[in-house]
Amino acid sequence: MVGGEAAAAVEELISGVRQAADFAEQFRSYSESEKQWKARMEFILRHLPDYRDPPDGGGRLDQLLSLSMVWANHLFLGCSYNKGLLDKVMEMADGIEVEDLPQFTTRSELMKKHQS
């Protein structure tokens, strides 16, 4: 009987993951590649339990979506933000594996090359 209970628990877990992924899908931007979306969705799903909106509102989900965009924009587009914000999103994303990230040269790096 234990095997049946374990199988039911696994099925319930899988169902919950599917529901969370279906919920997150509504936040995908039409311009995101599959690779970008998978990474950002992982970021969202990882933190969704901590950012659920309270019954009286509060915009916690909006905050999570904004943080996910900051992280994705920094990684995939090379956007820069203040150090505190970048530190926060990079800590939140710790352990999320993204392969073949583009390499960007910052304005400061370009200026240093021109001065040399």
Side-chain angles (χ1 to χ4, degrees):
M1 198 63 161
V2 172
E5 290 173 10
V10 168
E11 185 57 40
E12 185 177 328
L13 179 64
I14 291 170
S15 175
V17 169
R18 282 188 192 125
Q19 287 176 352
D22 290 345
F23 172 76
E25 189 65 37
Q26 68 184 310
F27 304 115
R28 182 178 182 173
S29 172
Y30 68 90
S31 63
E32 284 180 295
S33 70
E34 191 67 26
K35 179 174 156 180
Q36 291 168 338
W37 171 239
K38 284 184 187 259
R40 195 165 75 84
M41 183 170 63
E42 184 175 346
F43 184 101
I44 292 167
L45 292 177
R46 176 185 285 190
H47 298 287
L48 191 57
D50 298 329
Y51 282 86
R52 289 252 184 218
D53 283 339
D56 63 346
R60 300 270 301 149
L61 181 57
D62 285 343
Q63 183 181 19
L64 174 60
L65 296 174
S66 296
L67 291 168
S68 74
M69 288 303 296
V70 165
W71 176 69
N73 288 346
H74 175 69
L75 244 52
F76 296 107
L77 303 176
C79 297
S80 60
Y81 299 90
N82 74 54
K83 182 178 177 358
L85 180 58
L86 275 180
D87 287 348
K88 178 180 178 117
V89 297
M90 295 311 282
E91 181 181 324
M92 290 174 75
D94 189 40
I96 297 176
E97 302 272 332
V98 182
E99 295 180 5
D100 302 323
L101 286 172
Q103 298 296 315
F104 298 100
T105 304
T106 65
R107 181 181 178 282
S108 298
E109 292 168 339
L110 288 173
M111 296 304 288
K112 285 179 185 177
K113 286 181 184 178
H114 283 254
Q115 291 174 356
S116 297

